[in-house]
């Protein structure tokens, strides 16, 4: 069986270092906001080329806190892609604001800059760009729109650690880059974890207070805050894995190259363009008979996933928010997309097997 994901196997090369780090943290007696978190924040800021990084409890929290930092009035409108993962939209709702969906570009699966302006009005306060599947959005055009309309720009980088557009890193284009270190992400912890990156010191200090009960000095609460702290154990693991992130990314890009060069033309493949350094958190193809293809692959011992089967505006819990709005491009993607195995734990020979079976479909 070729698994879609095997996190035990993926983390095996790190077991020894993880164990050592865990024991060190255990005996330190300091488990929240200590040296490990400080060190990881500095290392990750350096990695992304941001001035500051603030460790948080999850990617969702990173998105919520980024919005909270701006103190928009309730029901402010925030623009977001209609095909993003639910967390980006949930963050807007949890922060007390209104998600305004904009269709993606079918070539990149990212928010279509040409469709943004028509959704902007005096209630619009921010744009959240998800760098979906590991490809950065068209940030030059989007940053220009934000500047023109005085909007805040938040990047959802949960799938894009180390991805670049025109030589610039995900997480450095906007006011904030929001990262998730959920175990399956390209940089994954052994539990929940997240972070924000920013170049602005005032925003960094505000997020540091917000994650810790709105407090900058012990028992002094300057803001209505949250409890959203990255913990010492996870930070220790993340520092170990960050050193290997370039290698993890390179491995995934090599596997992606194999798919791109060898899959037959029946499948719609991800776009490759010299402006982008894609990190392939997900390698998706599209095919009109997606469900049949998934079954066929499973019958040949190959597991796949769908990112995602139901678009956000059709999710049961969200029907009251999006009423009967229709997003045909998002719907088309959700009906035809299939994610193929591509991880640090997969070998080239396994990907060759997937290609061979797929080309017989
Ligand atoms: C994983 C993910 C998130 C949420 O991250 P968590 O750490 O699970 O809260 C947000 N946005 C996108 C695009 C994601 O893939």
């Amino acid at each position: 069986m070729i698994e879609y994901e095997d996190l035990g196997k993926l983390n095996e090369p790190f077991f020894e270092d993880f164990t050592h780090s865990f024991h060190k943290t255990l005996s330190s007696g300091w488990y929240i906001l200590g040296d490990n978190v400080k060190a990881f924040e500095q290392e990750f800021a350096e990695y992304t080329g941001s001035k500051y990084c603030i460790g948080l409890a999850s990617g969702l929290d990173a998105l919520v806190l980024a919005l909270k930092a701006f103190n928009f009035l309730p029901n402010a409108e925030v623009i977001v892609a209609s095909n993003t993962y639910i967390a980006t939209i949930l963050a807007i709702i949890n922060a007390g604001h209104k998600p305004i969906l904009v269709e993606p570009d079918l070539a990149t699966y990212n928010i279509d800059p040409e469709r943004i302006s028509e959704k902007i009005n005096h209630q619009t306060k921010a744009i959240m760009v998800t760098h979906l599947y590991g490809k950065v959005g068209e940030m030059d055009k989007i940053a220009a729109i934000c500047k023109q309309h005085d909007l805040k720009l938040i990047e959802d980088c949960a799938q894009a650690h180390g991805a670049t557009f025109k030589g610039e890193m995900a997480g450095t284009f906007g006011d904030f880059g929001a990262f998730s270190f959920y175990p399956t992400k390209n940089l994954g912890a052994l539990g929940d974890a997240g972070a924000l990156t920013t170049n602005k010191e005032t925003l960094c200090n505000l997020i540091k207070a917000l994650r810790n009960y709105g407090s900058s000095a012990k028992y002094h609460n300057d803001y209505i805050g949250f409890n959203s702290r990255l913990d010492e154990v996870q930070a220790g693991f993340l520092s170990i894995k960050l050193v290997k992130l370039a290698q993890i990314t390179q491995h995934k890009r090599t596997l992606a190259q194999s798919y791109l060069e060898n899959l037959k033309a029946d499948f719609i493949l991800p776009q490759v363009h010299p402006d982008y350094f894609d990190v392939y958190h997900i390698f998706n193809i599209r095919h009109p008979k997606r469900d049949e293809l998934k079954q066929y692959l499973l019958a040949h011992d190959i597991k796949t996933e769908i990112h995602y089967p139901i678009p956000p505006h059709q999710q049961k819990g969200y029907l009251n928010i999006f009423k009967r709005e229709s997003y045909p491009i998002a719907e088309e993607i959700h009906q035809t997309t299939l994610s193929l195995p591509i991880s640090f734990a997969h070998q080239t020979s396994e990907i060759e097997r997937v290609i061979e079976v797929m080309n017989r479909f």
Side-chain angles (χ1 to χ4, degrees):
M1 180 66 75
I2 298 178
E3 298 292 337
Y4 179 73
E5 190 105 70
D6 182 343
L7 292 176
K9 192 171 163 196
L10 187 145
N11 282 314
E12 228 171 66
F14 309 105
F15 280 2
E16 225 182 284
D17 287 345
F18 283 170
T19 307
H20 179 74
S21 167
F22 172 72
H23 281 288
K24 213 174 139 207
T25 309
L26 180 63
S27 56
S28 79
W30 193 284
Y31 308 126
I32 296 282
L33 296 185
D35 292 343
N36 289 357
V37 169
K38 240 181 245 153
F40 175 70
E41 287 175 340
Q42 199 174 342
E43 291 154 11
F44 196 67
E46 244 165 67
Y47 175 83
T48 57
S50 298
K51 276 197 188 141
Y52 307 100
C53 167
I54 309 99
L56 301 167
S58 73
L60 175 65
D61 278 6
L63 293 163
V64 173
L65 265 62
L67 284 165
K68 281 287 179 187
F70 297 120
N71 227 352
F72 302 136
L73 289 174
N75 291 317
E77 295 190 359
V78 179
I79 286 172
V80 63
S82 56
N83 64 322
T84 186
Y85 178 55
I86 202 71
T88 332
I89 291 167
L90 177 58
I92 298 169
I93 296 167
N94 279 357
H97 306 309
K98 190 175 175 206
I100 301 296
L101 306 188
V102 168
E103 289 268 61
D105 180 340
L106 255 186
T108 63
Y109 305 118
N110 281 327
I111 193 166
D112 184 347
E114 311 303 329
R115 293 168 188 267
I116 291 177
S117 293
E118 67 201 51
K119 298 283 185 100
I120 295 175
N121 61 54
H122 63 283
Q123 303 269 54
T124 313
K125 295 296 170 201
I127 301 179
M128 286 179 114
V129 180
T130 307
H131 306 314
L132 202 68
Y133 304 150
K135 182 192 283 298
V136 179
E138 282 182 77
M139 298 313 288
D140 46 359
K141 290 182 190 168
I142 296 168
I145 295 170
C146 287
K147 200 166 173 202
Q148 187 191 344
H149 297 274
D150 194 22
L151 305 176
K152 301 299 180 191
L153 177 54
I154 298 164
E155 302 172 61
D156 182 341
C157 308
Q159 304 189 0
H161 315 74
T164 73
F165 172 66
K166 297 190 174 169
E168 279 190 63
M169 270 283 189
T172 61
F173 295 92
D175 297 282
F176 282 117
F179 288 84
S180 164
F181 308 116
Y182 183 79
T184 62
K185 309 293 185 186
N186 281 17
L187 178 59
L190 304 187
D192 279 307
L196 280 169
T197 55
T198 183
N199 283 323
K200 297 185 180 129
E201 192 182 2
T202 49
L203 290 180
C204 168
N205 291 337
L206 180 54
I207 296 297
K208 280 188 171 170
L210 287 179
R211 75 173 167 187
N212 193 26
Y213 294 105
S215 164
S216 322
K218 207 171 180 183
Y219 305 134
H220 290 260
N221 304 97
D222 299 336
Y223 311 98
I224 305 279
F226 299 79
N227 175 352
S228 181
R229 301 169 296 220
L230 173 62
D231 72 73
E232 285 289 291
V233 173
Q234 297 303 335
F237 297 155
L238 285 168
S239 286
I240 289 163
K241 245 170 140 179
L242 180 57
V243 176
K244 294 287 160 62
L245 181 54
Q247 195 184 324
I248 292 169
T249 301
Q250 192 45 53
H251 185 77
K252 296 188 85 161
R253 281 175 56 85
T254 303
L255 301 184
Q257 196 58 33
S258 188
Y259 281 133
L260 290 165
E261 281 171 11
N262 298 301
L263 281 173
K264 65 178 176 178
D266 299 29
F267 307 111
I268 301 172
L269 301 177
Q271 189 194 60
V272 177
H273 187 283
D275 282 347
Y276 298 85
F277 181 84
D278 302 325
V279 299
Y280 298 102
H281 169 60
I282 285 163
F283 189 95
N284 84 309
I285 58 106
R286 284 192 298 124
H287 192 278
K289 292 188 176 155
R290 188 266 318 275
D291 293 335
E292 214 177 291
L293 174 61
K294 189 175 186 357
Q295 281 311 312
Y296 162 84
L297 290 170
L298 189 60
H300 288 82
D301 291 332
I302 296 166
K303 287 194 191 163
T304 54
E305 289 285 340
I306 296 170
H307 298 95
Y308 300 89
I310 304 169
H313 68 283
Q314 292 178 339
Q315 295 285 356
K316 193 173 160 203
Y318 293 72
L319 291 179
N320 266 339
I321 290 168
F322 299 114
K323 305 281 191 293
R324 296 220 180 107
E325 293 171 38
S326 136
Y327 298 94
I329 299 176
E331 287 162 26
E332 160 83 17
I333 294 168
H334 288 76
Q335 277 160 23
T336 55
T337 193
L338 185 69
S339 309
L340 307 182
I342 185 162
S343 80
F344 191 51
H346 284 104
Q347 289 166 5
T348 316
S349 57
E350 291 175 299
I351 298 322
E352 281 164 2
R353 161 92 185 137
V354 177
I355 292 165
E356 183 243 319
V357 173
M358 283 198 51
N359 285 347
R360 281 192 278 119
F361 179 68

